Amino acid sequence: MTSTPDVRFWFDPVCPFAWMTSKWVRMVQAQRDYDVEWRFISLRLLNSHIDYDSHFPPEYEQGHTAGLKLLRVFAHVRDDHGPAAVEALYPAISSRIFDVPPDSYDAADLGPLVEAALAQCDLPTALAEHLEDTSKDAQIQAETDEALELTGKDVGTPILHIAPPEGAAFFGPVISRLPSEEQAGELWDHVVGLATFPGFAELKRSLRELPQLEAFGVDADSVGKQEDWHGGSRRQKK
């Protein structure tokens, strides 16, 4: 990317809240003609120091590892085909994880999903071979570290940076319901106004609704069950 974007958005493709926030940001992007740069943050690398068996529900380690594998493909896509390809591939992949009926996504068998998403974006399906290729892990780690340097370490995904490099960066916003087209810009202005207020650091609660995503069995007319999250994730202990 030759020019500085209006927004930088760090995502892990297996994070449902990053996916929800990205849908909203794309609405704002279209309405405001923003340039959004999509960057990588790995929940698996972010939590590499944590014992998954004692801190997380059983499915988390496999899920976060799947996110890292997917980001390896994204890294090769960006290097070979540019950032616009990443922008297109993110919804092609994450929609196949979250905008599908419950239990449709198999974190242990990513190949068919990735190949279908690559084909949708007119990218070589052979790029799916990089799921197990660790050669880009240092690059993904560096982008994860870059995000944490902007926000501090007690965060999750997504991370947004408004008007970089000098603008405000923050974790979130975490939303479980997608705003309407009319609400999207208003919500954006509220978030940016709060985040850019001098000295502002945090506004938080750990109770979250399950997001309105088909994979969770929550449709756009329903309200998801509330759960208590710690440190940006559904940890079983702090």
Side-chain angles (χ1 to χ4, degrees):
M1 186 168 291
T2 57
S3 60
T4 303
D6 299 297
V7 180
R8 288 196 173 113
F9 189 116
W10 280 263
F11 71 94
D12 186 313
V14 301
C15 176
F17 294 103
W19 177 233
M20 283 293 291
T21 301
S22 77
K23 290 185 175 187
W24 163 61
V25 167
R26 286 176 189 267
M27 294 166 66
V28 176
Q29 179 183 19
Q31 293 173 5
R32 305 280 177 91
D33 195 27
Y34 284 163
D35 181 8
V36 179
E37 181 183 0
W38 303 89
R39 297 184 67 78
F40 311 143
I41 180 170
S42 167
L43 289 168
R44 187 64 186 86
L45 296 179
L46 190 153
N47 291 295
S48 61
H49 63 292
I50 291 175
D51 176 45
Y52 270 76
D53 289 340
S54 63
H55 282 76
F56 291 113
E59 70 277 8
Y60 260 53
E61 184 166 17
Q62 184 181 64
H64 286 180
T65 300
L68 175 58
K69 292 179 178 181
L70 292 169
L71 286 173
R72 292 168 179 166
V73 176
F74 276 104
H76 281 277
V77 165
R78 185 173 63 193
D79 286 354
D80 295 347
H81 301 276
V86 171
E87 182 170 11
L89 187 61
Y90 180 19
I93 283 183
S94 290
S95 65
R96 287 174 163 81
I97 297 174
F98 298 116
D99 298 341
V100 293
D103 301 320
S104 298
Y105 161 66
D106 184 359
D109 187 20
L110 296 172
L113 181 154
V114 173
E115 289 176 0
L118 289 165
Q120 178 184 326
C121 299
D122 295 321
L123 293 166
T125 57
L127 286 162
E129 298 172 0
H130 294 297
L131 285 164
E132 305 295 337
D133 175 7
T134 62
S135 64
K136 299 294 185 183
D137 285 14
Q139 178 182 333
I140 297 165
Q141 180 70 70
E143 290 195 20
T144 299
D145 293 343
E146 176 188 36
L148 299 183
E149 287 173 4
L150 293 169
T151 61
K153 295 182 178 180
D154 187 19
V155 295
T157 56
I159 288 175
L160 273 66
H161 193 182
I162 308 300
E166 292 83 10
F170 50 87
F171 162 43
V174 174
I175 56 174
S176 296
R177 309 181 197 185
L178 190 65
S180 67
E181 293 283 348
E182 294 74 21
Q183 294 170 325
E186 181 180 8
L187 178 58
W188 178 262
D189 291 337
H190 288 319
V191 169
V192 172
L194 186 60
T196 57
F197 184 82
F200 176 78
E202 185 173 23
L203 178 69
K204 181 178 179 180
R205 67 175 192 163
S206 60
L207 289 175
R208 300 184 187 180
E209 298 172 1
L210 281 176
Q212 291 176 330
L213 295 171
E214 188 177 358
F216 291 96
V218 184
D219 61 38
D221 298 319
S222 303
V223 176
K225 176 186 175 182
Q226 279 198 343
E227 297 179 325
D228 199 358
W229 289 53
H230 301 284
S233 59
R234 190 156 50 90
R235 295 187 185 179
Q236 299 177 121
K237 68 178 184 179
K238 295 183 181 180

